[in-house]
Amino acid sequence: RASSVVVSGTPVYRPWGQFQTSKGPLVFEPSRALDFELEVGMVIGPGNTHGRRISLEEADRHIFGYVLLNDWSARDIQGMEMQPLGPFLGK
């Protein structure tokens, strides 16, 4: 499955994939269960030495900024792919 980060105003295309309908047969067509969520992301830096933890007291010095993200998921296609691929690769 592909992921993209695009600027505001970019059209969202309904993904096509294989999934099972409620009547039973497998179909290849546009998702019928497109779901979206608003998420908050952080841009972090400057980083730390490999293996060294960043304490709570110094965490704010590692946050460069915040962004709002729309997470789009085709739940019907995701459910079909999760069976053989597992929860992390089926997204």
Side-chain angles (χ1 to χ4, degrees):
R1 191 82 18 242
S3 295
S4 300
V5 176
V6 296
V7 299
S8 296
T10 302
V12 175
Y13 299 98
R14 188 172 292 271
W16 281 65
Q18 179 176 299
F19 56 92
Q20 193 165 16
T21 65
S22 59
K23 297 175 185 154
L26 291 177
V27 295
F28 181 77
E29 59 186 43
S31 172
R32 298 179 185 179
L34 191 60
D35 182 32
F36 63 94
E37 303 165 345
L38 177 64
E39 297 182 354
V40 177
M42 288 188 294
V43 180
I44 57 172
N48 57 310
T49 305
H50 185 72
R52 182 183 165 272
R53 294 181 182 196
I54 297 171
S55 69
L56 288 175
E57 292 76 22
E58 59 183 335
D60 61 334
R61 293 189 293 274
H62 289 264
I63 299 172
F64 177 76
Y66 297 90
V67 295
L68 293 177
L69 303 165
N70 283 327
D71 175 13
W72 299 82
S73 299
R75 297 294 183 196
D76 43 7
I77 299 170
Q78 180 182 19
M80 187 74 183
E81 291 177 349
M82 207 154 51
Q83 300 304 317
L85 300 176
F88 298 111
L89 297 176
K91 277 198 92 145

